[in-house]
Amino acid sequence: SITVTNDMTFTGVLHGSADTTVANGVTFTSTATKLHAKKVIEAEGHNSTVIVTGLKDKTDANLSELKTDSVTTTVTGNITNFTGDLGTAVVTLDDKVEFTSTAAKLSGKSIDDTGNGGADKAKVIVTDLHKASTANLSTITTDSVTTTVTSDITNFTGDLGTAVVTLNDTVKFTSTAAKLSGISIDDAAGKASTVIVTALHLSDTANLSTITT
């Protein structure tokens, strides 16, 4: 394996098969293109960091082999369809950035913005929720999280977090009162969509007033 013993920004080409080990306390920075599918681990001590740059330029990046205690990336430009694997990366979106990917790709991923809010707020757009009915979107904490449901969901068991949900024409969305409590769900203008709430008897404090289909 190759061991990195000092902080560095790497611009070369990592070995195709050998692991890269980052020493305790060291920060290793490189682009998503350079780190794609590369295995980077940490030495004993669990205090090393990988910083991934340029994710907007490598939207199919596989970061799942980055195994250091801390993996971070800041997205500086819009990503219209992320198809890679974020692994354990903690993602920060710059002001005005829009990050789009499927519910399956985003489930359980830590995504936040710079905190400036206002007119410059960042947005996460979640697609294909109907294909990931167990998706956990609660770890996405940007100012804006939206998803449009294009096909029926017969039993959503995940966590919508702060997502604002729009249902397409005639779509039926089914979940428990506990899962739907406080969630903003509407339909497209003039569309005949339906929300079916189950297990209300188990959630006697449920707030369904935010469902306006």
Side-chain angles (χ1 to χ4, degrees):
S1 67
I2 304 162
T3 300
V4 180
T5 57
N6 293 288
D7 294 352
M8 70 175 299
T9 297
F10 183 76
T11 60
V13 178
L14 291 173
H15 193 284
S17 58
D19 296 349
T20 300
T21 301
V22 181
N24 188 36
V26 167
T27 298
F28 183 81
T29 303
S30 194
T31 66
T33 299
K34 298 290 185 184
L35 294 170
H36 172 64
K38 300 299 184 182
K39 188 170 184 179
V40 181
I41 61 177
E42 61 187 4
E44 186 176 355
H46 306 292
N47 191 31
S48 54
T49 300
V50 172
I51 299 175
V52 182
T53 61
L55 189 63
K56 67 182 179 62
D57 300 317
K58 182 64 175 174
T59 58
D60 64 345
N62 177 10
L63 307 180
S64 65
E65 293 298 312
L66 305 180
K67 305 294 187 181
T68 52
D69 190 55
S70 174
V71 180
T72 66
T73 185
T74 298
V75 181
T76 58
N78 293 344
I79 294 178
T80 57
N81 183 27
F82 182 79
T83 59
D85 188 332
L86 291 169
T88 62
V90 174
V91 181
T92 302
L93 305 185
D94 266 357
D95 292 349
K96 300 182 181 179
V97 165
E98 294 186 0
F99 187 103
T100 303
S101 191
T102 65
K105 295 289 185 184
L106 296 173
S107 180
K109 303 305 180 184
S110 177
I111 305 177
D112 201 356
D113 49 33
T114 58
N116 291 337
D120 294 336
K121 63 185 179 182
K123 176 185 289 187
V124 172
I125 301 170
V126 183
T127 61
D128 287 346
L129 187 64
H130 64 286
K131 296 180 181 179
S133 59
T134 62
N136 175 16
L137 306 181
S138 67
T139 53
I140 304 173
T141 54
T142 50
D143 281 320
S144 174
V145 183
T146 64
T147 186
T148 298
V149 181
T150 57
S151 295
D152 292 351
I153 296 178
T154 57
N155 183 26
F156 183 80
T157 60
D159 190 330
L160 290 167
T162 62
V164 174
V165 181
T166 301
L167 305 185
N168 267 3
D169 190 21
T170 72
V171 164
K172 294 180 180 180
F173 187 103
T174 304
S175 192
T176 65
K179 295 289 184 183
L180 296 174
S181 180
I183 303 298
S184 176
I185 305 178
D186 200 358
D187 46 26
K191 303 301 181 181
S193 55
T194 303
V195 174
I196 301 171
V197 183
T198 62
L200 185 62
H201 65 288
L202 299 177
S203 302
D204 56 5
T205 62
N207 174 18
L208 305 180
S209 66
T210 51
I211 302 173
T212 54
T213 51

